[in-house]
Amino acid sequence: LCYMSARELKVSHPFFYGALIAAIYGLVDEMHQYFVPQRQCDYWDFIADLLGILVFLSLAEMSRRRVWKKQR
């Protein structure tokens, strides 16, 4: 959603802003798990979050370009 909002607002580098906001959210989520009983803050879970962010944003951008190309 951050990526799409940044793109609609004509922000330069919407991919970067979308990834940054999602990564910060993932980091905060991992940090809060440290304080929840029976949960753990895991470095590898954060890495998995980052990979998921990159895969999703890459697919969203490829889809956007494909639709844009068809509309031309």
Side-chain angles (χ1 to χ4, degrees):
L1 292 175
C2 295
Y3 164 73
M4 292 177 182
S5 296
R7 198 179 78 229
E8 290 299 317
L9 293 173
K10 308 283 191 240
V11 173
S12 62
H13 310 308
F15 188 93
F16 172 75
Y17 288 113
L20 180 65
I21 297 296
I24 290 170
Y25 181 84
L27 181 62
V28 169
D29 183 45
E30 289 303 317
M31 290 170 52
H32 109 273
Q33 287 183 20
Y34 178 78
F35 300 103
V36 176
Q38 300 179 357
R39 299 293 303 258
Q40 63 182 0
C41 179
D42 188 19
Y43 173 75
W44 291 109
D45 193 26
F46 179 63
I47 296 296
D49 291 343
L50 292 177
L51 288 174
I53 291 165
L54 291 176
V55 168
F56 175 77
L57 288 176
S58 297
L59 291 173
E61 181 63 18
M62 288 184 338
S63 174
R64 183 191 70 81
R65 288 182 183 187
R66 186 174 183 190
V67 168
W68 183 73
K69 194 175 190 180
K70 283 184 180 180
Q71 290 177 351
R72 290 185 105 199

